[in-house]
Amino acid sequence: MSKILIGRYIPGDSIIYKMDPRGKLLACIAFIFIIFLANNWITYAIITLFSLFAVFETKLKPKVFWDGIKPLIWLILFTSLLQLLFTTGGHIYWKWLIFTISSFGIINAIYIFIRFTLIILISTVLTVTTMPLEIADAMEWILTPLKYLKVPVDKIALVMSIALRFVPTLFDETVKIMNAQRSRGADFNDGGLIKRAKAIAPLLVPLFISSLQTAVDLATAMESRGYRGSEGRTKFRVLKWSKYDLYCLGYFILLVGLLLIFRAK
Amino acid sequence: MPNKNIIQLHNVTFTYPGSHKAAIDNLNLNIEKGSWTTIIGHNGSGKSTITRLINGLLVPDKSDDTYIEVDGIKLTEDTVWDIRDRVGIVFQNPDNQFVGATVADDVAFGLENRGVPHQEMQKIVSEAIKSVGMSNYTNMEPSNLSGGQKQRVAIAGVLAVKPKIIILDESTSMLDPEGREQILTIIKNLKEQNNLTVISITHDINEAAIADEVIVLNDGKLISKGTPKVIFTKDKLLHELGLDIPFEFKLRQKLIEKDISIPNDIQSEKELVKYLCQLNSTM
């Protein structure tokens, strides 16, 4: 069960894996903006091809990406349907009360569908090829300029990495407590909403207490190992830019260039 | 002799806030450099409190004549970090002392805190991991390691900062017998190689038997102190304190009860085996 939770990172060995997590994170954020450059069939085709190539480059099974889209499929369909039914303009095929299906509506619905799917695909590429820890490192790097605004970036980074490190531990703990309470007759899966909410109490209370205990123990261990705040600390994990990040940059420049050329005025 | 005793506690009393009774009661303690000292005592006798006093996590009650000295340095607010450089503690729960997200990160944590440059860190970390036999697990996450492996990583983290004293605060109590055996062997070897002073706090009586010196603690007071041979022959005293004695001492006791005379100087397992075989051949 814990395998699902931890960022769904799937180990692999393709070019995307070798990229610097900072590059990947920035590329993923940039992609969300770039996708709005597309506004006609050609540009959508280009951006779809480029995204599918990135997906292909991960050398992972298509099922992984389908799993990424699946939880959001209803949201995608719902949004597309709204676009379909409420957009007017162009040739009108069908009209009933406030609902209309027009040529603009159909096109818009398809655009929205593609846009949504591509954003999910690209963020899935990021999460499956990058370890959560690397993403945390990348986020720390992106936050670094905030130091000038007196934001304690180092401490936030430490908090992030400790939080990530304890996700599986707390998850195991939760399963253990659930089983222990089950063996004493607790029932987590039956009854109405209120009964189920009540059943959570014997799970949450011990979990809170054990987290606090863990925090105290960890603080003691950290202090006795010489931790005294982030000042004067060096870093063991250092991110390095590689030539693969240049490939990615080139890829993006090409994509933006093509989009700008074929974009409808 | 200032060089002989690496740790000195002089008239130390400590009371936890909100408690009426002192957890440590006027304790005087000297620990010899390069020795293996075991502190035993029942639950709540103040064993773990001693380790926290030694590295300044707890501050003893104020008194004119109280001091703690580690490696020639008196423990004060200014020197507490120097002392923490010299003392490494491996705690009880392997899960709750793992700071880093991977083995290498965790071992490097102490070095990061001390501002060691990146290049040097790489070398020290891989050496420390190698010395506890965890080289194949360098990039593993803690959730994929067993308890014994996590404790080995903790030892590596302690070793990386090159302390003079290693304190095992019930470090083996949550491990299976095999994990326990491994940890003790590793510590023993490392102690020989690096001339470390080891203080182990334990309930495991067999772990106590390998020490140079055993300290018995009860209600924050030092009851008895001596080599395992001396301590474990005081079986009445230990029984009163609710403590067990190691198997070879128990066997010896039972044999004496059965009127088989065993000389006083025969104490260890090896000697006992040899003596009993000789006894058999002469009968």
Side-chain angles (χ1 to χ4, degrees):
Chain A
M1 242 167 120
S2 60
K3 293 286 173 292
I4 310 165
L5 227 137
I6 187 73
R8 285 185 320 177
Y9 167 76
I10 300 163
D13 185 36
S14 62
I15 288 178
I16 290 189
Y17 279 97
K18 288 178 191 138
M19 273 177 63
D20 191 291
R22 290 171 293 183
K24 279 192 266 192
L25 189 60
L26 285 180
C28 189
I29 295 167
F31 183 83
I32 293 168
F33 292 102
I34 289 171
I35 202 163
F36 288 101
L37 284 176
N39 61 358
N40 59 18
W41 288 113
I42 306 170
T43 43
Y44 269 103
I46 291 171
I47 204 158
T48 308
L49 276 179
F50 270 72
S51 316
L52 286 180
F53 182 71
V55 169
F56 169 75
E57 238 320 295
T58 60
K59 309 236 163 84
L60 292 170
K61 289 192 199 103
K63 190 180 172 299
V64 172
F65 297 94
W66 170 239
D67 285 343
I69 295 171
K70 215 161 42 181
L72 290 164
I73 194 84
W74 293 112
L75 185 68
I76 299 174
L77 290 178
F78 181 69
T79 321
S80 304
L81 199 70
L82 286 186
Q83 286 289 331
L84 183 65
L85 294 177
F86 291 103
T87 313
T88 49
H91 185 80
I92 292 171
Y93 299 108
W94 180 76
K95 196 167 164 57
W96 179 68
L97 300 178
I98 51 167
F99 304 114
T100 36
I101 292 182
S102 62
S103 55
F104 277 24
I106 292 172
I107 292 170
N108 260 348
I110 294 171
Y111 282 174
I112 288 283
F113 183 82
I114 295 175
R115 209 181 273 170
F116 247 119
T117 316
L118 291 186
I119 289 176
I120 294 166
L121 272 186
I122 291 297
S123 39
T124 310
V125 168
L126 175 75
T127 53
V128 294
T129 61
T130 320
M131 279 188 285
L133 190 67
E134 290 181 319
I135 298 183
D137 281 345
M139 273 160 75
E140 185 196 355
W141 180 79
I142 291 172
L143 290 177
T144 311
L146 292 180
K147 266 185 193 163
Y148 298 106
L149 299 173
K150 300 247 155 88
V151 178
V153 176
D154 305 317
K155 280 180 188 154
I156 294 173
L158 188 73
V159 167
M160 276 200 292
S161 82
I162 288 176
L164 280 173
R165 172 247 170 283
F166 272 97
V167 167
T169 310
L170 284 179
F171 201 82
D172 290 347
E173 186 79 23
T174 313
V175 172
K176 234 184 269 172
I177 295 173
M178 270 174 105
N179 287 338
Q181 302 287 21
R182 271 204 195 104
S183 73
R184 290 161 177 78
D187 189 356
F188 293 105
N189 301 323
D190 275 328
L193 203 61
I194 294 172
K195 195 177 165 238
R196 272 200 211 189
K198 274 185 183 162
I200 296 289
L203 174 64
L204 277 191
V205 173
L207 197 61
F208 259 112
I209 293 171
S210 99
S211 320
L212 289 178
Q213 188 56 51
T214 304
V216 171
D217 281 357
L218 187 72
T220 309
M222 282 170 67
E223 212 181 325
S224 61
R225 289 175 70 181
Y227 181 75
R228 41 174 153 174
S230 40
E231 225 159 284
R233 289 194 83 213
T234 45
K235 287 198 65 98
F236 175 67
R237 239 187 358 257
V238 175
L239 300 170
K240 275 202 197 83
W241 295 105
S242 67
K243 61 178 184 205
Y244 301 109
D245 298 290
L246 281 178
Y247 295 168
C248 172
L249 186 66
Y251 193 70
F252 261 76
I253 290 172
L254 185 67
L255 174 62
V256 173
L258 285 174
L259 289 180
L260 286 175
I261 292 167
F262 291 103
R263 195 176 138 82
K265 295 290 174 320
Chain B
M1 279 190 288
N3 284 330
K4 208 174 161 227
N5 293 324
I6 196 158
I7 294 180
Q8 288 185 33
L9 273 73
H10 189 74
N11 289 340
V12 173
T13 302
F14 176 78
T15 319
Y16 278 102
S19 158
H20 299 294
K21 233 177 88 199
I24 297 291
D25 196 355
N26 205 12
L27 187 72
N28 285 294
L29 193 66
N30 295 320
I31 287 170
E32 225 172 273
K33 198 173 187 171
S35 67
W36 182 308
T37 307
T38 296
I39 304 177
I40 58 171
H42 63 79
N43 287 334
S45 57
K47 304 186 298 288
S48 293
T49 310
I50 291 182
T51 64
R52 283 159 176 73
L53 285 167
I54 289 171
N55 83 343
L57 286 169
L58 298 174
V59 181
D61 296 353
K62 269 240 149 42
S63 149
D64 298 335
D65 201 24
T66 291
Y67 67 84
I68 297 171
E69 203 176 281
V70 178
D71 197 26
I73 304 170
K74 272 218 174 89
L75 178 65
T76 64
E77 229 166 275
D78 302 322
T79 60
V80 63
W81 296 105
D82 293 328
I83 286 178
R84 280 179 199 171
D85 280 348
R86 288 167 170 77
V87 183
I89 307 184
V90 182
F91 291 94
Q92 179 176 22
N93 188 331
D95 255 321
N96 297 359
Q97 57 179 315
F98 210 108
V99 188
T102 66
V103 168
D105 281 312
D106 189 65
V107 174
F109 181 74
L111 298 169
E112 289 180 328
N113 291 335
R114 286 164 179 83
V116 177
H118 179 74
Q119 289 294 329
E120 259 174 75
M121 247 195 278
Q122 297 280 357
K123 219 180 96 204
I124 301 173
V125 166
S126 65
E127 269 170 20
I129 293 176
K130 203 175 146 201
S131 70
V132 296
M134 290 289 287
S135 295
N136 295 335
Y137 301 90
T138 308
N139 290 315
M140 288 277 257
E141 288 169 27
S143 52
N144 299 326
L145 299 176
S146 74
Q149 288 171 329
K150 276 180 229 174
Q151 288 302 59
R152 281 198 258 165
V153 174
I155 295 171
V158 162
L159 281 179
V161 299
K162 301 211 162 50
K164 297 191 169 170
I165 303 156
I166 288 192
I167 301 179
L168 306 171
D169 189 354
E170 297 191 37
S171 312
T172 58
S173 65
M174 292 176 94
L175 304 180
D176 56 18
E178 198 185 331
R180 185 175 295 193
E181 201 62 40
Q182 280 178 348
I183 297 290
L184 289 178
T185 317
I186 287 170
I187 294 276
K188 229 190 227 167
N189 292 339
L190 292 171
K191 178 181 176 292
E192 297 306 315
Q193 285 161 22
N194 305 324
N195 191 27
L196 296 166
T197 307
V198 178
I199 303 173
S200 81
I201 288 166
T202 186
H203 283 288
D204 180 28
I205 226 69
N206 296 315
E207 192 180 322
I210 59 173
D212 300 321
E213 190 165 58
V214 178
I215 289 168
V216 185
L217 219 58
N218 189 39
D219 290 337
K221 285 196 187 74
L222 195 148
I223 298 289
S224 190
K225 182 179 169 172
T227 59
K229 285 187 186 187
V230 173
I231 295 292
F232 291 123
T233 39
K234 297 181 180 174
D235 55 323
K236 274 211 189 84
L237 171 80
L238 293 177
H239 191 76
E240 270 167 35
L241 297 174
L243 296 168
D244 207 3
I245 56 174
F247 174 72
E248 53 264 33
F249 290 91
K250 238 189 245 173
L251 180 67
R252 188 171 167 275
Q253 222 59 47
K254 292 273 183 224
L255 289 172
I256 290 172
E257 275 169 32
K258 293 247 186 258
D259 287 332
I260 299 170
S261 68
I262 292 172
N264 252 336
D265 58 321
I266 290 183
Q267 307 279 359
S268 72
E269 194 183 322
K270 247 189 210 156
E271 287 168 353
L272 196 63
V273 169
K274 205 173 151 198
Y275 180 75
L276 288 178
C277 289
Q278 279 174 356
L279 210 60
N280 190 30
S281 63
T282 52
M283 266 200 274

